Amino acid sequence: MEKMDSSSSFTIGNSAQERSWPYVPDCYVIPSSNRPSLTPETASVPVIDFSRLRQDATQRANAIKEIGNACHQVGFFQIVNHGICQSILDGALSVASDFFKLPTEEKVKFMSNDVKKPVRYGTSLKDGDDKFQFWRVFLKHYAPPLSDWIHLWPKNPPHYRENMGKYCKEVMKLALEVMGAINESLGLGPSYLSNQMEDGMQVTAVNCYPPCPNPELALGLPPHSDYTCLSIVLQNLAGLEVMDKRDGKWKLIPDVHGALQVHIGDHLEVLSNGLYKSVVHRAILNSERTRISIASLHSMGMDEKMGTAEELVDDQHPKKYKDSSFRDFLDFLCKNDIAEGKNFIDKLKIKA
């Protein structure tokens, strides 16, 4: 096999991960200081029983407090008893896996490097344009309202639109409830921004991380935080690491069957005036199994600016962040390489 090592060699349909190459090309090999461990520490992650939010006032208050603590200390938590039935979760993962097994010519119908396209298939981050390549393939599409977007989603596999549509609809309802609980923990009340979020953006990122022959040399995704208010992630096996702010170490999120992961995003950090920090995370790889994750990213409308809540600003706590929108993030992504450590949240911080 001819050895190709430049990023430009690995365009969509020809990437090493899509073609199951037996070695890791040089442009996928990340600097040694950033390489993952094959035996990572396991993160101690809060697991919230979401059914307690629907019980009596005492149970709800305790659950809200736990969510607030998790947002402040970790920027991440897992939820169980969230109300989405297991068959819907399994159905979404199944059609996601089946999509990535389709022939290349079927998948590349959706290929694009335009980060503003409402449906796009790609590899790495920006195919062929990145200094480093990442061992993943993905399909991203907009969701609500489904009637506006679902006709643009893949027709194959045959049940993709049905199964993924059911999941997106359920996770949108859950995201609004989670956002309400987080706002309540900030003292803003559960209905704060509820209309804006309900009419806002839901981007579904369906990720596939094929087996990698040398998982200690590469990453599925580089360290980053999500631009969103929050992201809800479903996965079929462990592979997400978070940066533990308490000791600066990368730690693996344990896989809890039926649980969903909740990431605090940049816009929620802005809303809270820094009380809650967006979580820095990355995707690691393994040599034997394909990992599938479905990330549902929730924010306000494309051009609606997220600003810090006035209730959280005073003389002792001045405003720390500029207002920004989802479109502002897309413009940032077009011009910057997050693999080089450039983060959207840093652009938003107001210098003292």
Side-chain angles (χ1 to χ4, degrees):
M1 181 183 293
E2 181 184 359
K3 190 168 183 176
M4 300 189 297
D5 291 318
S6 68
S7 288
S8 60
S9 301
F10 297 102
T11 53
I12 301 172
N14 295 308
S15 67
Q17 61 271 32
E18 289 172 289
R19 297 170 66 184
S20 302
W21 280 36
Y23 75 95
V24 176
D26 287 350
C27 62
Y28 287 78
V29 177
I30 61 174
S32 57
S33 59
N34 297 329
R35 291 177 190 169
S37 169
L38 291 177
T39 55
E41 288 185 53
T42 299
S44 177
V45 177
V47 178
I48 308 296
D49 182 347
F50 212 65
S51 67
R52 292 163 59 209
L53 287 171
R54 301 157 185 154
Q55 296 178 13
D56 62 58
T58 300
Q59 290 278 8
R60 179 178 176 85
N62 289 338
I64 293 293
K65 184 177 180 180
E66 290 176 15
I67 288 171
N69 288 339
C71 292
H72 177 69
Q73 296 172 6
V74 188
F76 182 96
F77 54 93
Q78 297 197 82
I79 51 177
V80 295
N81 296 324
H82 41 68
I84 303 180
C85 67
Q86 192 63 43
S87 62
I88 290 179
L89 305 182
D90 293 342
L93 287 170
S94 177
V95 291
S97 178
D98 289 346
F99 173 81
F100 293 112
K101 293 174 184 176
L102 292 174
T104 298
E105 57 267 23
E106 186 73 21
K107 292 178 288 189
V108 297
K109 293 176 182 177
F110 303 95
M111 72 177 184
S112 176
N113 269 342
D114 181 358
V115 299
K116 297 180 181 180
K117 275 197 86 170
V119 181
R120 66 187 183 100
Y121 170 79
T123 64
S124 188
L125 292 173
K126 300 175 189 174
D127 304 278
D129 294 336
D130 300 309
K131 181 179 179 181
F132 294 103
Q133 291 289 293
F134 296 94
W135 202 273
R136 77 151 180 171
V137 289
F138 66 85
L139 177 71
K140 289 187 178 180
H141 48 65
Y142 295 172
L146 284 175
S147 57
D148 285 359
W149 305 112
I150 199 166
H151 67 283
L152 300 174
W153 295 7
K155 293 180 181 178
N156 291 313
H159 297 293
Y160 186 89
R161 293 179 178 178
E162 178 185 0
N163 288 13
M164 195 61 71
K166 286 180 180 177
Y167 176 71
C168 288
K169 186 176 180 180
E170 290 299 316
V171 82
M172 180 65 176
K173 290 191 293 186
L174 178 64
L176 294 174
E177 195 170 359
V178 173
M179 188 68 184
I182 292 172
N183 284 335
E184 191 170 343
S185 74
L186 285 167
L188 300 173
S191 61
Y192 188 86
L193 296 182
S194 59
N195 291 336
Q196 293 92 325
M197 292 297 296
E198 188 169 3
D199 296 334
M201 299 294 298
Q202 178 187 15
V203 179
T204 304
V206 187
N207 299 299
C208 174
Y209 304 97
C212 177
N214 298 104
E216 73 281 6
L217 298 180
L219 287 171
L221 273 177
H224 67 286
S225 59
D226 294 338
Y227 70 89
T228 55
C229 290
L230 58 88
S231 303
I232 297 179
V233 179
L234 168 67
Q235 63 178 13
N236 68 335
L237 64 127
L240 179 80
E241 287 189 335
V242 296
M243 172 66 75
D244 192 326
K245 294 181 291 187
R246 293 164 292 194
D247 58 16
K249 294 181 179 180
W250 286 107
K251 295 179 181 177
L252 182 68
I253 300 299
D255 186 41
V256 178
H257 182 67
L260 293 169
Q261 303 168 354
V262 179
H263 303 214
I264 300 307
D266 294 342
H267 274 169
L268 194 47
E269 180 171 335
V270 170
L271 173 69
S272 72
N273 207 26
L275 290 173
Y276 297 165
K277 303 292 188 185
S278 55
V279 61
V280 177
H281 54 285
R282 67 183 185 180
I284 62 172
L285 306 162
N286 69 71
S287 60
E288 297 178 354
R289 296 181 61 190
T290 295
R291 177 173 174 257
I292 301 291
S293 74
I294 304 173
S296 186
L297 300 100
H298 298 267
S299 63
M300 297 197 303
M302 177 69 76
D303 295 302
E304 196 156 7
K305 299 280 188 179
M306 172 61 82
T308 299
E310 293 180 0
E311 296 86 341
L312 302 176
V313 176
D314 57 31
D315 292 341
Q316 287 74 41
H317 306 91
K319 184 176 178 179
K320 298 178 181 179
Y321 303 88
K322 304 172 188 174
D323 297 358
S324 69
S325 66
F326 179 35
R327 192 180 300 278
D328 292 333
F329 167 74
L330 293 179
D331 291 341
F332 172 86
L333 192 59
C334 288
K335 299 172 185 176
N336 294 274
D337 184 357
I338 64 171
E340 295 182 347
K342 296 178 180 178
N343 294 314
F344 184 54
I345 191 66
D346 293 335
K347 179 178 178 289
L348 302 180
K349 292 177 180 176
I350 298 173
K351 294 181 181 178

